[in-house]
Amino acid sequence: MKTLLSSIILLFVFSKTTAQKYIYLENQKDFDIAMVKRDSPNELEEIKTIKMKNQARFQKNMNIVLKKCKELTRIKEEVVFNYRVFVNKMNTIDSIQYYFTEFKMTRVDSVIKGVKSIYFGIEDPLKLVEASRSIKAMIENTSLYENPMKPYEIRGSFFLNQYFSKSDGWEGRLKTYLDEKQDTVKTLKLAGLGLKGVTKDIYRFKNLETLDLSKNEIESLSIDLKKLPKLKKLTISDNMLSEKTLKLNRNKSLNIINLTNNNFNKFPSKLYRSKNLKDLHLASNFISDFGKTKLKKFSNLELLNLYNNLFSVLPEKIVVLKNLQILDLYHNNLKFLPSNIDKFQNLQTLAISNNDLWELPDNLKNLVNLKVIYVHHNKLSAINALPPNIEYLDLGFNLLTEVPKSLNNLEKLTDLDLANNKMISGSEVLKQIPNLKNLNVMRNDFESDPTKFAELQQIIVDLKKKSVKVK
C-alpha cells in the first residue's frame, strides 16, 4: 500500500516541465535515516545569511499554503509539518523531503518529564496528493534570495493544525476567554488561540488600550476602531494577512501597529488612516517597494521596522518621514542609500546590517542626531564620513582594509565594532577616540604585517589602561 502511495505522489508531482522532486518520507525507516543525516558541515557566514533569508521566506510561504489545505487540517492529531529543501548551485530547488511528526509527552505522577518528537505516518492518499499539489505550486512561485554559487540546504517545521483537535472552534475559544474578562480591562492577550479573526464580543471593552492577536491563523481581519476608541497598540504579528485583507477604519488613537511576519507583498498604504501612528512594524514580510504610497500621510512615524523584506532600493521620497527616529532595514537587498538621506534630521538609530551596501553617502555626516548605526555584514571598503554625535557603531563583517580615518575625534563614540574585516593598518586612529569604552578588532589581518601588528598590540595595552574593554 505504501509503495503504491509513494507512486501516486511521485507521479503527481513529476512532469516534463520540471526536474524537481517532492519526496514524502513514507515510513519510520526513511525517517530514521533522514534524522541521522541531519548534520551539515561548517558553512561560510555568507551562506548562513542567505540560508536564513531563504528559510524565513520559504517557511512563511509553506505555512500559509498548507494551512489552507482542507484535507490536511482534518487530521485530528496536532501534527508538525517538517521539510528539508536541497538547493543547487543555480539557486534553484532540486528536491524537497517532507514528513510529519507529533509530540509525545512522558508523564510521571501527572508531571511532564519529557517531550519527544516521533514520526507520524499519513495513510490517506488524498491528504498527501493535496499536500504535494500545494508544495509544488508554492515552490514554483517562490524565488530564492541571492545566489551563493554553492549548493545548500534549508529546513524547518511548524504546527500544521495546532488548534483543530480542541473541542470547540476558534469562536468558542475566543468567547470563553473573553467571558472571563471584566469590561474595564485595558489589555487583551489573544495570542496563540488559533483564531481566524475576531468577533463582535471584543467591542464591549471600551477601555481597551492594547490588543494582541499574534500567533494565530488570521487571513482576513476587519476591526471597527470607532468601537474601540482608546486602542493604542495593535499586534497582529505571525498571521497570514496581506495588504488586501487588513481593514482598519480611520482613527486617532492607534500609536503602534505590529504586522511582523505576515504575507504583505506591498506596503500597506491604507494604514495612514491611523492619524497618530508612531510605530509601524512590518518585519519579515515580502515588501520590495513603497509603490504609490503617499508617505507624507505617515509623517508622524517615529519608528519604521522593515527588517527582512525585499527592498533593493529606497526611494528618495522616504525622507518625507521627517519625524522618523528609528529606521530598521536589516536583511534586505540594498546596495545604496538615498542620496538625500541627510534630510532625516531627527533620525537617531539607523539599522542597515545584512544588506549589499558598497558605500555610505558622505552626507551621512549631516545627521547630527544620529547616535547608533548598525552596518555590519555589508561590503563596505571605506567609510569617508560619519555623524559627529555617533555613540555606537558596528562595522563588523565588511571589507575594510584599514581603520577608517573618519573615526578621528568622534567625541561621543563609546562602542566600536570592527571585527571580521580585512584591516592591516590604521590602528593609530583608535587612540584619537576620546571616550571609547568598548572595542572589538578581532579577526582582521593586522598579523600580516609584524610592525603594524606590534603597533596595534601597544595601542590595545594603552586603551586597556584607560579602562577600555577590548576584544
Side-chain angles (χ1 to χ4, degrees):
M1 172 64 185
K2 289 188 175 180
T3 302
L4 176 61
L5 184 61
S6 293
S7 299
I8 293 172
I9 299 301
L10 292 174
L11 180 63
F12 178 80
V13 298
F14 285 130
S15 70
K16 293 181 180 179
T17 60
T18 177
Q20 294 167 334
K21 299 177 183 178
Y22 305 77
I23 304 168
Y24 169 59
L25 301 185
E26 65 179 68
N27 55 47
Q28 183 72 44
K29 181 180 178 181
D30 290 344
F31 170 75
D32 292 340
I33 292 173
M35 293 303 98
V36 171
K37 295 182 178 181
R38 287 184 69 91
D39 292 332
S40 57
N42 293 331
E43 294 173 317
L44 297 174
E45 191 70 29
E46 179 186 14
I47 294 182
K48 289 181 181 178
T49 300
I50 293 171
K51 280 181 59 175
M52 191 193 79
K53 289 187 177 183
N54 284 334
Q55 160 63 7
R57 187 178 311 176
F58 192 92
Q59 176 149 328
K60 190 189 308 179
N61 276 344
M62 185 80 78
N63 198 335
I64 290 171
V65 165
L66 290 185
K67 284 184 177 179
K68 294 180 180 179
C69 290
K70 293 181 180 179
E71 290 293 334
L72 287 178
T73 55
R74 289 192 179 102
I75 300 171
K76 292 189 177 180
E77 293 81 358
E78 292 185 358
V79 300
V80 177
F81 178 84
N82 307 265
Y83 61 87
R84 186 178 182 187
V85 179
F86 301 88
V87 184
N88 59 34
K89 291 182 179 180
M90 303 304 294
N91 211 34
T92 58
I93 294 172
D94 274 341
S95 63
I96 174 173
Q97 289 182 350
Y98 69 96
Y99 55 94
F100 301 86
T101 55
E102 63 176 330
F103 290 111
K104 289 294 184 182
M105 291 182 289
T106 303
R107 296 177 182 268
V108 178
D109 296 330
S110 299
V111 178
I112 297 175
K113 293 295 184 179
V115 179
K116 184 179 180 181
S117 177
I118 64 170
Y119 178 78
F120 181 87
I122 294 181
E123 301 288 343
D124 188 344
L126 290 178
K127 291 180 171 57
L128 293 174
V129 167
E130 186 185 32
S132 296
R133 181 191 295 117
S134 299
I135 293 169
K136 181 176 184 292
M138 188 278 290
I139 287 177
E140 289 177 351
N141 289 292
T142 298
S143 58
L144 296 176
Y145 177 73
E146 178 183 348
N147 185 4
M149 302 301 290
K150 293 183 179 180
Y152 61 95
E153 298 176 20
I154 52 178
R155 58 178 66 143
S157 62
F158 53 86
F159 271 104
L160 185 63
N161 58 347
Q162 188 172 4
Y163 312 101
F164 185 81
S165 63
K166 295 184 169 69
S167 58
D168 50 4
W170 70 267
E171 295 97 334
R173 286 194 294 279
L174 179 58
K175 186 178 187 306
T176 299
Y177 180 91
L178 295 180
D179 285 348
E180 298 174 352
K181 301 295 180 182
Q182 297 292 326
D183 292 356
T184 55
V185 299
K186 295 182 178 181
T187 299
L188 284 178
K189 294 184 178 180
L190 306 177
L193 296 178
L195 304 183
K196 305 291 185 182
V198 294
T199 62
K200 294 180 180 179
D201 295 329
I202 65 167
Y203 296 131
R204 68 180 173 89
F205 302 98
K206 301 299 182 183
N207 294 317
L208 194 63
E209 295 180 2
T210 300
L211 176 59
D212 184 354
L213 296 167
S214 62
K215 298 180 181 178
N216 282 294
E217 299 178 355
I218 301 173
E219 293 181 53
S220 180
L221 182 67
S222 178
I223 298 180
D224 187 351
L225 293 169
K226 293 179 181 178
K227 296 179 180 179
L228 297 172
K230 297 183 180 180
L231 190 65
K232 296 179 180 179
K233 181 178 181 180
L234 177 60
T235 300
I236 329 174
S237 57
D238 297 282
N239 278 282
M240 297 183 280
L241 292 166
S242 69
E243 58 277 4
K244 293 182 179 180
T245 62
L246 175 64
K247 296 181 181 179
L248 305 174
N249 53 6
R250 294 183 183 276
N251 68 90
K252 295 182 179 180
S253 61
L254 270 182
N255 298 141
I256 302 171
I257 300 178
N258 189 337
L259 296 169
T260 294
N261 198 19
N262 274 277
N263 194 31
F264 288 90
N265 291 293
K266 297 180 180 179
F267 190 86
S269 58
K270 291 185 179 180
L271 290 182
Y272 75 83
R273 293 172 176 172
S274 298
K275 297 291 185 180
N276 293 312
L277 186 62
K278 293 184 177 180
D279 289 15
L280 177 55
H281 299 260
L282 289 164
S284 296
N285 279 281
F286 302 98
I287 305 169
S288 59
D289 58 57
F290 292 100
K292 297 180 180 179
T293 302
K294 295 180 180 179
L295 288 175
K296 284 185 178 181
K297 294 186 176 183
F298 292 85
S299 59
N300 290 322
L301 275 185
E302 296 178 358
L303 181 153
L304 178 57
N305 186 344
L306 296 169
Y307 178 105
N308 193 27
N309 274 279
L310 303 176
F311 283 90
S312 57
V313 175
L314 280 184
E316 294 195 350
K317 68 178 182 178
I318 193 175
V319 298
V320 302
L321 303 177
K322 57 184 179 180
N323 290 311
L324 204 62
Q325 296 178 19
I326 300 173
L327 178 58
D328 189 342
L329 290 159
Y330 260 68
H331 289 289
N332 276 275
N333 305 328
L334 296 173
K335 292 179 173 57
F336 302 98
L337 294 178
S339 60
N340 61 346
I341 195 171
D342 58 335
K343 293 185 179 180
F344 274 134
Q345 282 300 308
N346 288 305
L347 197 64
Q348 296 180 18
T349 297
L350 179 61
I352 45 177
S353 297
N354 292 95
N355 278 281
D356 297 318
L357 293 169
W358 290 92
E359 62 180 19
L360 297 180
D362 289 348
N363 59 0
L364 201 67
K365 65 184 179 183
N366 298 329
L367 296 178
V368 296
N369 288 309
L370 191 57
K371 298 178 181 178
V372 177
I373 301 179
Y374 298 95
V375 69
H376 56 81
H377 288 91
N378 276 285
K379 298 176 181 178
L380 303 175
S381 58
I383 308 292
N384 296 323
L386 287 166
N389 296 314
I390 195 76
E391 297 175 5
Y392 185 103
L393 178 60
D394 190 340
L395 292 167
F397 292 93
N398 275 284
L399 303 175
L400 300 173
T401 57
E402 65 176 5
V403 179
K405 293 183 175 61
S406 53
L407 295 172
N408 277 344
N409 299 312
L410 289 178
E411 294 185 359
K412 296 185 179 180
L413 184 63
T414 59
D415 293 78
L416 175 61
D417 193 332
L418 296 168
N420 293 281
N421 277 276
K422 300 179 181 300
M423 294 186 298
I424 58 175
S425 63
S427 58
E428 66 278 0
V429 174
L430 299 173
K431 297 187 297 183
Q432 300 171 30
I433 306 174
N435 291 302
L436 193 62
K437 294 181 180 179
N438 296 288
L439 171 65
N440 189 350
V441 288
M442 294 177 64
R443 292 181 290 278
N444 274 284
D445 295 335
F446 287 101
E447 296 92 335
S448 62
D449 184 330
T451 301
K452 297 294 184 183
F453 184 61
E455 181 181 359
L456 173 66
Q457 293 299 101
Q458 183 57 53
I459 289 172
I460 288 175
V461 170
D462 294 340
L463 290 174
K464 287 183 176 180
K465 289 179 180 180
K466 297 180 180 179
S467 300
V468 178
K469 295 181 181 178
V470 182
K471 292 183 182 179

